[in-house]
Amino acid sequence: MSLVQRALSGDYPRSRVLAVALLLILVGLALAPFVFPGTRSLNVAAKVCVFILLVASYDLLLGYTGIVSFAHTMFFGIGAYGIAIAATKLGPTWGSLALGCVAALLCSVVLSLVIGLLSLRVKTIFFAMITLAVASFFSILASQLSDFTGGEDGLTFKLPVSLAPGTKLLETAVFGVEINGKVLSYYIVFFGALFLFLALLRIVNSPFGRVLQAIRENDFRAEAIGYRGVVYRSVANCLSALAATAAGILYAIWLRYAGPDTTLSLDIMIDILLMVVIGGMGTMYGAAIGATLFIIAQNYLQDLMKLGTDAAAGIPLLPNLIHPDRWLLWLGILFILSVYYFPTGIVGRLRGVK
Amino acid sequence: MRHAHSGPLKQAGEGALLALTGVNTHIGHYHILQGVDFAVAQGGFTMLLGRNGAGKTTCLRTIMGMWRASAGRIIFDGADIAGEETPAVARRGIGYVPEAMGIFAGLSVAENLTLAARDGPIDTSRLEWIFGFFPALKKFWNLPAGNLSGGQKQMLAVARAIIEPRKLLLIDEPTKGLAPAIIGHMIEAFRELKRTDTTILLVEQNFNFARALGDTVAVMDSGRIIHTGAMADLAGDPGLQQQLLGLSLDAHQ
């Protein structure tokens, strides 16, 4: 039990339903290659892992520090492009992957520090505008430097042989599933995301995290106790950018591709915002719940609606309303309802906080 | 009206822990502090009184560096702190209790106090001492501070400022919005604090509270100090009270 306490940094779910949901997500993701072996479902599982980390790192900013940033996908993209460019230019070796990782993380630290120190001193709305501008600039840069980044098409690249889907790692299949490079990649993504999620949980429950919460609640009062808001906000911004970069690295390893639409786009930024809000801001666990629900809905709502249309055939109007083509409409309605009924997010609701 | 700067605290600096000289503060277009001069004696309990809008809160905030003084000097412990940023001022050893029960509502009582003990873990014997006069804090140790009653929040705000020894405490209207019984409790707590020889500057509207605790008094009006002297002298002179504070004591019983 003390192992669980240490892993969660003493921050328990504090709700039985939430604990069960989190356990289901953890077990489901841990066994995904065996329980959901299809290509599509494994893709969804990997995306859930990556987005749990990405959304949790955004929660560190939005939920714990009260900073609104629109540059989170930029750091996500830096991670993905770091791996992609290193693998394309230097060849598919472990060494080039490591180099790509280090370069991407360094780049993110420098960028987030510069953005933070330039704008976190003043009003947070100014920070939001700056990040929006820098993120747009970065996204244009990525599509313009096509020799380097592959432009709009992005970069498809090869990974070291042991991560290639065709590589058999074990002679015998485990539970009827062949252990190949794809399964190994999945577990790199899974354990990487899990480890970093727990690290973020530790950060928000540390004395540093407590100061962040105090600053979010009342900047002046925190300063009057002797904490410099700008320093704490800058460090939080940096840590959050690093975690987002790591998420980008994992995503690129999984997809063997980096492109503007999968990492840099503003659509993803909005998705992240929605996931944080739906899951529950300032809880970390909300990131896990929000990301999982959102991505599953994004991928399977259409299938569900197709089933509904077929079942409702013959009834007037209804099949039309739940036609798979209308899935975005229904996803939108689901968001509005969840924000309306769970203003503190699903986690806030489950913990009984109004 | 009495002459400005009369009384024993005229010589700012002599034995004073904090001395303000000609401090001016502008907030936007408003000229709030218009040359504030007064001193807080080492180890004393100084009351800063005055009508609403006289500039008392602005005075504390200017000392804390939340508003920048546009002119004048603020000497604390031998150094001019005018122009220093708030965290730096706080780290010189000034504890600040903001008005309106300024606690962190989203954090627990324990977290509020741990946060304020910035030099390391909370000293348990000091904590027990605080529990001695604020027992509610012990009872609700792990509760979110937002769930406390008004009086308990105020106790937490004071406890936060004294969780580690500070050279000077700035306290802004600790009785505001509190029931008379709780005000009595607060007086007892501050008496206990007084025994530790902590230097305190306290802004107050409640004259009975001020009279019960203050050694010396400074009265503000329209952004200036209009009177300084011993608390006992002011307490024993209703005519002077009427003149300086314009208060009818009945309203403050």
Side-chain angles (χ1 to χ4, degrees):
Chain A
M1 271 297 122
S2 84
L3 188 72
V4 173
Q5 185 179 1
R6 276 183 54 197
L8 300 184
S9 312
D11 186 356
Y12 294 110
R14 299 208 305 279
S15 147
R16 195 163 295 168
V17 180
L18 177 59
V20 170
L22 290 169
L23 208 62
L24 275 178
I25 293 173
L26 180 68
V27 172
L29 290 176
L31 302 178
F34 305 100
V35 186
F36 316 110
T39 312
R40 183 177 167 206
S41 52
L42 202 55
N43 261 328
V44 171
K47 195 175 175 188
V48 168
C49 291
V50 168
F51 272 76
I52 286 177
L53 174 59
L54 185 62
V55 174
S57 68
Y58 194 67
D59 196 24
L60 174 64
L61 271 193
L62 184 67
Y64 285 86
T65 322
I67 300 173
V68 179
S69 162
F70 291 106
H72 216 60
T73 46
M74 175 178 84
F75 296 115
F76 188 48
I78 288 174
Y81 274 100
I83 289 285
I85 292 170
T88 321
K89 301 282 172 195
L90 305 173
T93 64
W94 290 104
S96 63
L97 286 193
L99 193 72
C101 279
V102 172
L105 291 171
L106 273 179
C107 180
S108 289
V109 168
V110 172
L111 251 178
S112 61
L113 264 183
V114 169
I115 295 175
L117 290 177
L118 280 182
S119 54
L120 280 177
R121 191 172 277 280
V122 285
K123 291 244 174 349
T124 45
I125 183 70
F126 188 63
F127 179 78
M129 304 313 289
I130 290 269
T131 55
L132 191 58
V134 174
S136 307
F137 171 75
F138 210 82
S139 150
I140 293 166
L141 199 68
S143 58
Q144 294 296 313
L145 291 176
S146 47
D147 291 346
F148 215 52
T149 61
E152 292 294 337
D153 298 333
L155 289 171
T156 305
F157 57 92
K158 284 197 167 70
L159 284 172
V161 175
S162 48
L163 293 180
T167 312
K168 257 193 186 177
L169 297 170
L170 287 178
E171 283 305 313
T172 51
V174 180
F175 299 117
V177 177
E178 186 184 275
I179 305 302
N180 57 21
K182 199 72 187 166
V183 173
L184 181 62
S185 305
Y186 178 79
Y187 279 108
I188 290 178
V189 171
F190 172 76
F191 282 109
L194 179 65
F195 173 78
L196 288 168
F197 178 82
L198 293 177
L200 287 171
L201 200 59
R202 172 136 305 182
I203 289 170
V204 298
N205 285 293
S206 68
F208 172 78
R210 212 176 297 128
V211 177
L212 289 184
Q213 282 167 279
I215 289 171
R216 176 196 60 181
E217 192 177 323
N218 194 316
D219 207 346
F220 272 137
R221 285 176 198 165
E223 298 231 320
I225 298 178
Y227 297 105
R228 287 174 59 90
V230 62
V231 172
Y232 281 84
R233 279 197 292 263
S234 299
V235 173
N237 184 38
C238 237
L239 289 173
S240 165
L242 278 177
T245 309
I249 288 169
L250 295 177
Y251 204 34
I253 288 177
W254 174 253
L255 294 176
R256 283 167 290 138
Y257 167 79
D261 292 337
T262 52
T263 54
L264 289 174
S265 86
L266 202 62
D267 293 348
I268 297 176
M269 192 61 243
I270 291 166
D271 290 351
I272 296 172
L273 260 168
L274 282 169
M275 291 182 217
V276 172
V277 172
I278 289 171
M281 279 194 282
T283 61
M284 279 296 152
Y285 294 121
I289 300 280
T292 307
L293 282 183
F294 190 98
I295 289 164
I296 288 179
Q298 219 178 23
N299 285 279
Y300 292 107
L301 192 61
Q302 254 177 309
D303 296 1
L304 191 71
M305 287 172 68
K306 183 153 173 28
L307 284 178
T309 318
D310 295 347
I315 305 169
L317 199 64
L318 197 60
N320 235 329
L321 266 179
I322 55 175
H323 192 272
D325 288 352
R326 318 265 185 280
W327 77 281
L328 264 175
L329 169 79
W330 287 101
L331 197 61
I333 290 173
L334 277 181
F335 292 152
I336 293 170
L337 287 179
S338 64
V339 171
Y340 187 80
Y341 284 106
F342 310 129
T344 53
I346 293 171
V347 170
R349 180 74 182 205
L350 288 177
R351 284 175 170 174
V353 183
K354 286 274 147 120
Chain B
M1 188 168 283
R2 227 179 203 213
H3 286 296
H5 326 310
S6 61
L9 289 177
K10 190 185 175 187
Q11 275 80 37
E14 283 298 306
L17 180 62
L18 175 76
L20 279 71
T21 327
V23 171
N24 280 260
T25 301
H26 291 80
I27 300 176
H29 295 296
Y30 299 98
H31 191 183
I32 310 286
L33 299 189
Q34 307 181 0
V36 169
D37 304 88
F38 76 105
V40 173
Q42 173 78 50
F45 204 136
T46 305
M47 290 289 169
L48 186 57
L49 306 180
R51 296 182 179 92
N52 271 332
K56 306 183 295 294
T57 294
T58 304
C59 190
L60 291 194
R61 289 191 177 172
T62 304
I63 296 167
M64 282 310 290
M66 291 170 169
W67 301 120
R68 198 55 61 86
S70 46
R73 293 197 306 158
I74 303 171
I75 308 293
F76 172 70
D77 206 15
D80 191 350
I81 59 168
E84 276 190 11
E85 288 185 16
T86 305
V89 173
R91 282 179 187 272
R92 284 182 175 274
I94 302 184
Y96 175 62
V97 181
E99 64 185 334
M101 303 150 196
I103 44 122
F104 298 109
L107 300 179
S108 68
V109 172
E111 287 173 326
N112 265 278
L113 292 178
T114 311
L115 197 68
R118 54 172 190 253
D119 296 331
I122 295 177
D123 175 356
T124 44
S125 62
R126 198 172 170 86
L127 187 62
E128 285 303 323
W129 171 66
I130 292 172
F131 284 159
F133 46 85
F134 293 148
L137 299 185
K138 188 173 191 172
K139 192 173 166 194
F140 301 119
W141 186 240
N142 281 316
L143 221 62
N147 294 7
L148 299 178
S149 72
Q152 289 160 352
K153 281 180 187 164
Q154 192 62 61
M155 289 172 195
L156 178 58
V158 174
R160 221 180 43 191
I162 60 174
I163 191 72
E164 283 176 348
R166 303 277 180 245
K167 291 176 188 156
L168 172 68
L169 295 182
L170 303 179
I171 303 172
D172 202 350
E173 286 209 52
T175 63
K176 195 175 186 177
L178 298 189
I182 300 171
I183 293 179
H185 189 91
M186 276 285 171
I187 292 177
E188 288 311 311
F190 278 113
R191 284 215 171 105
E192 175 65 31
L193 194 59
K194 218 172 144 173
R195 272 179 224 125
T196 63
D197 283 333
T198 310
T199 309
I200 299 174
L201 174 62
L202 193 147
V203 162
E204 193 48 82
Q205 294 269 2
N206 182 323
F207 189 72
N208 285 334
F209 184 85
R211 183 168 55 189
L213 290 165
D215 300 323
T216 51
V217 61
V219 181
M220 282 192 87
D221 195 32
S222 310
R224 286 192 183 85
I225 300 288
I226 54 166
H227 169 87
T228 56
M231 188 73 224
D233 293 347
L234 182 61
D237 190 344
L240 187 59
Q241 288 166 28
Q242 178 64 36
Q243 179 196 345
L244 291 175
L245 301 166
L247 47 79
S248 100
L249 279 179
D250 297 335
H252 288 267
Q253 291 299 335

